[in-house]
C-alpha cells in the first residue's frame, strides 16, 4: 500500500508568542516541532505499512527548515520525505494549501491512502484534510482512530465522534484525518535516526508541480485574517454559595439586575 502522510511544522506550544500590535504569531526565533496531531497520523501510517507492506512518504509544505520535520518523521518510521518549498507558497490559506498539496500528491505518482492530522495547533482549522480530498476527487473520513486492512484496497475504520464510535468499511483510495490519541506514536529509533540523517529530501517548487500561480500564496488565498487578538480576561468573579436552588435564585437575581433576564 502506498501511503502519503501530510505533516506540518508548527511553533512548539511552549514557545508560542504573539505580536499584539500586528496581531500575528511571532514565528522568528521560535522553536518548531511536528504538529502534535500529525504524530498520530504518522504512527497510523507506519503501523499500516508494517501490516500490509508498501511505502510511506511524508510530505510537508513550509520554509526550508521544515526539512527537519521530514527527517524526524523518517526517524519515526517513514520511508521518504518530500519538501514543498517556494516563496510563491507563502501566505497560502487552507484553500491554497490543499491545492498545492494535491498537486504535489498527483506528481508523486500512484497512492492508496493520504493521511493527515485532524488539525494543527497553530492554524487549527481542520480544513486541509477534507480540502485535499475534494481536490483529489476521493472520499474523506475525519476523526479516524483505527484503520485495519480487510482485503486488497479495502479498509475497516473507526471514527470517534461526540455521539459515539462509527465503524465503516471503506474503499481506497481516500483521505483520512487521524484523531489525537488514536495510537501511541513511537519514538525515533537509532536506526531510524541514521536513515533520516542520510535521506535525500527532494524539494518541489511551484514550477515543478505545475500549479496555477493565481491559486497560490497570499494573492491566491480568498480568506483574510482581518484581526487577531489574545482575549483579555477582566471583570469580577463571584462564586455563588448555598444549595443548588439558592445558587440558581442568586444567579437569576444577578441576571435580572444586569438586564439580561
Ligand atoms: C488566524 C490564522 C493566522 C495565520 N497566520 C499565518 C501566518 O502568519 N503565516 C503563515 O505562514 N501561515 C499562517 N496561517 C496558516 C495557514 O493558513 C495554514 O498554515 C494552512 O493553510 C494550514 O491550515 P491549518 O494550519 O489550519 O491546518 P489544518 O487544516 O488544521 O491541518 C490539518 C492537517 O492538514 C495537514 N497540513 C496542514 N498544513 C500543512 C502543510 N503546510 N503541509 C503539509 N500538511 C499540512 C496536516 O496533516 C494537518 O494535521 C494562519 C492561519 C490562521 C487560521
Amino acid at each position: 500500500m502506498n501511503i502519503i502522510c501530510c505533516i506540518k511544522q508548527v511553533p512548539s506550544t511552549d514557545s508560542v508568542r504573539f505580536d499584539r500590535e500586528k496581531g500575528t504569531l511571532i514565528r522568528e526565533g521560535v522553536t518548531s516541532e511536528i504538529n502534535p496531531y500529525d504524530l498520530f497520523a504518522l504512527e497510523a501510517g507506519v503501523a499500516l505499512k508494517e501490516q500490509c507492506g508498501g511505502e510511506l512518504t511524508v510530505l510537508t509544505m513550509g520554509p526550508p527548515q521544515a526539512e527537519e520535520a521530514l527527517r524526524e518523521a523518517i526517524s519515526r518510521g517513514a520511508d521518504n520525505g518530500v519538501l514543498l518549498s517556494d516563496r510563491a507558497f507563502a501566505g497560502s490559506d487552507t484553500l491554497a494549501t490543499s491545492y498545492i498539496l494535491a498537486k504535489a500528491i498527483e506528481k508523486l505518482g500512484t497512492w492508496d491512502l493520504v493521511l493527515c492530522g485532524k488539525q494543527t495547533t497553530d492554524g487549527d482549522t481542520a480544513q486541509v484534510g477534507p480540502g485535499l480530498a475534494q481536490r483529489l476527487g476521493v472520499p474523506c473520513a475525519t476523526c479516524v482512530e483505527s484503520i485495519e486492512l480487510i482485503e486488497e484496497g479495502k479498509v475497516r475504520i473507526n471514527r470517534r465522534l461526540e455521539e459515539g464510535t462509527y465503524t465503516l468499511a471503506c474503499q481506497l483510495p481516500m483521505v483520512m484525518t487521524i484523531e489525537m490519541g488514536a495510537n501511541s506514536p513511537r519514538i525515533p529509533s537509532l536506526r531510524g535516526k541514521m536513515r533520516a540523517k542520510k535521506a535525500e529530501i527532494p524539494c518541489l517548487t511551484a514550477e515543478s508541480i505545475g500549479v496555477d500561480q493565481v491559486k497560490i500564496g497570499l494573492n491566491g488565498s480568498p480568506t483574510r485574517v482581518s484581526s487577531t487578538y489574545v482575549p483579555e480576561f477582566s471583570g469580577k468573579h463571584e462564586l455563588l454559595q448555598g444549595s443548588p436552588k439558592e445558587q440558581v435564585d442568586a444567579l437569576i437575581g444577578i441576571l435580572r439586575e444586569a438586564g439580561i433576564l
Side-chain angles (χ1 to χ4, degrees):
M1 186 183 297
N2 280 339
I3 306 168
I4 296 173
C5 181
C6 296
I7 63 170
K8 183 183 176 191
Q9 201 180 40
V10 296
S12 304
T13 34
D14 56 0
S15 65
V16 169
R17 287 176 299 131
F18 201 75
D19 184 327
R20 281 173 183 268
E21 269 177 27
K22 289 190 196 148
T24 55
L25 286 179
I26 301 170
R27 290 171 191 262
E28 295 77 34
V30 169
T31 54
S32 301
E33 62 184 12
I34 296 180
N35 172 39
Y37 285 84
D38 298 349
L39 294 179
F40 299 99
L42 179 63
E43 178 58 35
V46 176
L48 202 57
K49 183 195 73 163
E50 284 173 350
Q51 189 199 343
C52 331
E55 213 167 63
L56 172 63
T57 301
V58 273
L59 174 65
T60 194
M61 181 186 90
Q65 65 264 28
E67 190 184 303
E68 293 160 20
L70 296 172
R71 291 197 190 277
E72 184 185 335
I74 293 172
S75 74
R76 289 174 182 266
D79 297 298
N80 314 298
V82 177
L83 175 67
L84 270 163
S85 197
D86 194 316
R87 292 192 76 83
F89 297 151
S92 295
D93 66 3
T94 55
L95 197 74
T97 299
S98 55
Y99 169 63
I100 296 164
L101 291 173
K103 290 294 278 183
I105 289 169
E106 282 164 3
K107 182 91 184 168
L108 292 179
T110 54
W111 53 274
D112 303 289
L113 179 63
V114 173
L115 297 173
C116 291
K118 183 179 161 188
Q119 64 198 77
T120 62
T121 51
D122 63 348
D124 214 12
T125 64
Q127 292 172 356
V128 170
L132 196 48
Q134 178 71 23
R135 300 282 196 189
L136 293 167
V138 297
C140 180
T142 54
C143 310
V144 172
E145 64 178 2
S146 66
I147 313 168
E148 183 197 345
L149 186 75
I150 316 173
E151 60 188 64
E152 188 68 29
K154 211 168 183 184
V155 288
R156 184 183 297 115
I157 61 169
N158 281 341
R159 294 182 65 217
R160 193 201 312 155
L161 302 180
E162 265 176 32
E163 63 271 24
T165 299
Y166 285 66
T167 301
L168 304 168
C170 306
Q171 191 72 45
L172 301 177
M174 65 182 293
V175 173
M176 294 183 197
T177 74
I178 306 299
E179 184 60 79
M180 184 86 158
N183 48 45
S184 304
R186 67 195 69 191
I187 53 168
S189 65
L190 186 60
R191 212 161 141 234
K193 280 184 185 173
M194 284 163 67
R195 237 170 20 85
K197 208 171 163 190
K198 287 191 204 138
E200 290 221 3
I201 309 272
C203 180
L204 304 180
T205 60
E207 199 187 345
S208 64
I209 57 171
V211 286
D212 181 346
Q213 298 276 347
V214 174
K215 295 183 181 170
I216 61 168
L218 200 59
N219 293 335
S221 297
T223 51
R224 287 280 176 278
V225 180
S226 54
S227 77
T228 48
Y229 62 94
V230 177
E232 300 224 351
F233 296 100
S234 61
K236 57 177 185 167
H237 306 279
E238 196 180 332
L239 208 58
L240 301 176
Q241 307 289 345
S243 67
K245 179 167 184 334
E246 285 165 343
Q247 290 182 40
V248 169
D249 288 345
L251 180 62
I252 290 172
I254 293 167
L255 294 175
R256 284 220 171 101
E257 215 171 284
I260 297 169
L261 277 184

